[in-house]
Amino acid sequence: MNITLRVWRQKGPSDKGALHEYHLTDISEDASFLEMLDILNEQLFAQGEEPVAFDSDCREGICGMCGIVINGVPHGPHKNRTTTCQLHMRTFKDGDTITVEPYRSRAFPILRDLVVSRAALDRIIQAGGYISVNTGSAPEAHSVPVPKPDADRAFEAAVCIGCGSCVAACPNGSAMLFTSAKVTHLGLLPQGKVENYERVVAMLNQHDAEGFGACQNIGECAAACPKQIPMDCISFLNRQLGKAFLKGR
């Protein structure tokens, strides 16, 4: 495959960025998108130019570090929704022009090129996404019964990898799908119910303090999520917030 890349280049947070154009030839359609960026960087290095900075770690669709915007879509235009590292070049056509940009959000400052800081998501988790009460040692698996529907829904929400694609896709830059996924998977399990209401309030306050926008249930977050977190997690969060208000939390 021969492709043209338009890549966002920015030296630092305070520098002005711009799209730079590169041409690549003989790219295998079986290469992943990140492997294609590796090939680009090898060429740039050989030419004495600065390689493109981008995040990656596991390259197995697990960690969420690889999030970038490809042709206007977080993680790329794959119809089955996947992480960038699991996106392959056969998704595109020979001769295509591909525009690659970092996530755009006030809460995700650009550090360099395609790398953004998603520390705001970590701070939301730190605000309440843990269990602080003493639960003792690990109980025997059958000693704390959990209804099957609750367990299934908790696991469904727990697969969120915190990649931030929901924020990048949302017109308001909201992180409500991420926050609600954490609230849901902790709030449905017995150990997490002890601090459920305090957690909801603390995490939402931190969400707003980080500069994320408000949720208007547009649905772009769920459409872009590579782990298919359902929007009804947001409904669960809103119900828990209402209960917290009624209980004076």
Side-chain angles (χ1 to χ4, degrees):
M1 295 177 62
N2 299 328
I3 59 171
T4 298
L5 284 178
R6 300 177 70 242
V7 183
W8 184 264
R9 303 301 307 267
Q10 185 171 334
K11 291 184 178 180
S14 59
D15 294 303
K16 185 176 180 180
L19 288 169
H20 290 233
E21 193 168 287
Y22 305 100
H23 300 281
L24 293 177
T25 59
D26 298 325
I27 299 296
S28 171
E29 64 176 14
D30 294 323
S32 72
F33 198 88
L34 295 189
E35 288 171 338
M36 179 272 296
L37 290 180
D38 288 337
I39 293 172
L40 169 64
N41 280 343
E42 288 175 2
Q43 294 186 10
L44 292 176
F45 184 79
Q47 296 167 5
E49 299 182 40
E50 193 72 23
V52 176
F54 63 92
D55 271 331
S56 71
D57 189 5
C58 72
R59 299 204 178 197
E60 294 179 346
I62 297 173
C63 70
M65 289 292 293
C66 58
I68 50 179
V69 176
I70 303 168
N71 286 345
V73 182
H75 288 301
H78 198 283
K79 62 181 180 180
N80 292 326
R81 289 182 289 182
T82 184
T83 53
T84 303
C85 62
Q86 298 293 292
L87 178 71
H88 290 83
M89 294 308 296
R90 54 180 171 268
T91 306
F92 306 94
K93 298 178 182 178
D94 184 41
D96 274 357
T97 296
I98 305 172
T99 301
V100 187
E101 300 174 88
Y103 281 174
R104 304 290 187 178
S105 171
R106 181 172 61 179
F108 290 167
I110 298 175
L111 302 180
R112 183 177 178 184
D113 295 340
L114 305 176
V115 180
V116 300
S117 172
R118 281 169 281 199
L121 300 182
D122 296 330
R123 289 190 288 270
I124 290 176
I125 295 177
Q126 291 169 358
Y130 59 92
I131 308 299
S132 64
V133 295
N134 184 9
T135 59
S137 60
E140 199 278 327
H142 296 292
S143 65
V144 183
V146 180
K148 184 67 161 54
D150 288 350
D152 288 344
R153 195 175 184 196
F155 277 120
E156 183 181 45
V159 298
C160 171
I161 56 177
C163 65
S165 62
C166 53
V167 179
C170 177
N172 294 337
S174 173
M176 283 293 283
L177 189 67
F178 165 83
T179 305
S180 65
K182 302 307 176 184
V183 166
T184 300
H185 94 254
L186 289 171
L188 286 172
L189 300 178
Q191 296 87 345
K193 289 183 178 179
V194 179
E195 300 175 298
N196 188 34
Y197 300 132
E198 290 84 352
R199 179 184 305 110
V200 173
V201 173
M203 294 181 78
L204 281 176
N205 284 339
Q206 189 65 40
H207 173 281
D208 294 344
E210 294 293 344
F212 292 108
C215 173
Q216 292 182 312
N217 290 318
I218 294 172
E220 287 296 319
C221 54
C225 177
K227 296 302 177 180
Q228 303 182 29
I229 304 297
M231 280 192 68
D232 64 6
C233 285
I234 299 177
S235 300
F236 179 85
L237 180 149
N238 288 331
R239 286 195 298 271
Q240 299 308 302
L241 180 62
K243 291 177 182 179
F245 176 77
L246 292 175
K247 291 179 179 293
R249 302 297 176 89

